[in-house]
């Protein structure tokens, strides 16, 4: 029977445990290096899962069953969205 892969939450908890342990500062060098490498590996795996989830969530299904691509709003503060033009300007 194949071992089940840990969930995202389990991997994140493991990464947090490694970071906490390393932050204590009383870890022998060899153990610290091993844990650091394991932490990097976990971090990459978690980032891959997050990227995959983001791509999955980027495709929405409308009421008719048609797939739509979700377009994230820009973080650009110069982009006011165009929908608020003139808002509050009635009394100006």
């Amino acid at each position: 029977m194949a071992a089940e892969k840990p969930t995202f939450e389990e991997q994140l908890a493991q990464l947090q445990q490694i970071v906490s342990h390393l932050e204590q500062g009383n870890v022998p060098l060899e153990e610290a290096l091993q844990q650091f490498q394991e932490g990097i590996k976990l971090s990459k795996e978690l980032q891959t899962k997050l990227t995959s989830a983001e791509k999955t969530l980027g495709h929405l299904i409308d009421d008719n069953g048609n797939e739509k691509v979700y377009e994230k709003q820009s973080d650009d503060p110069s982009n006011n969205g165009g929908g608020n033009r003139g808002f509050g300007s009635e009394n100006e």
Side-chain angles (χ1 to χ4, degrees), residues 4-53:
E4 290 185 30
K5 288 188 126 185
T7 66
F8 179 86
E9 291 78 10
E10 290 169 338
Q11 286 182 308
L12 183 58
Q14 185 179 1
L15 179 58
Q16 289 171 331
Q17 184 179 18
I18 289 170
V19 170
S20 177
H21 187 76
L22 290 174
E23 284 178 340
Q24 291 177 3
N26 58 355
V27 181
L29 179 62
E30 293 79 12
E31 183 181 342
L33 287 173
Q34 184 272 330
Q35 287 192 354
F36 179 79
Q37 289 175 337
E38 180 65 23
I40 294 296
K41 179 182 169 190
L42 281 168
S43 176
K44 288 179 181 180
E45 289 175 11
L46 290 168
Q47 184 61 47
T48 299
K49 287 182 179 184
L50 284 175
T51 301
S52 176

Side-chain angles (χ1 to χ4, degrees), residues 33-85:
L33 287 173
Q34 184 272 330
Q35 287 192 354
F36 179 79
Q37 289 175 337
E38 180 65 23
I40 294 296
K41 179 182 169 190
L42 281 168
S43 176
K44 288 179 181 180
E45 289 175 11
L46 290 168
Q47 184 61 47
T48 299
K49 287 182 179 184
L50 284 175
T51 301
S52 176
E54 186 178 61
K55 287 179 183 177
T56 298
L57 292 175
H59 294 275
L60 305 175
I61 305 296
D62 67 14
D63 292 337
N64 298 322
N66 298 318
E67 186 175 297
K68 291 184 172 182
V69 175
Y70 172 77
E71 294 189 22
K72 186 168 90 171
Q73 292 292 331
S74 172
D75 291 336
D76 182 2
S78 66
N79 179 8
N80 66 6
N84 292 331
R85 285 187 203 154

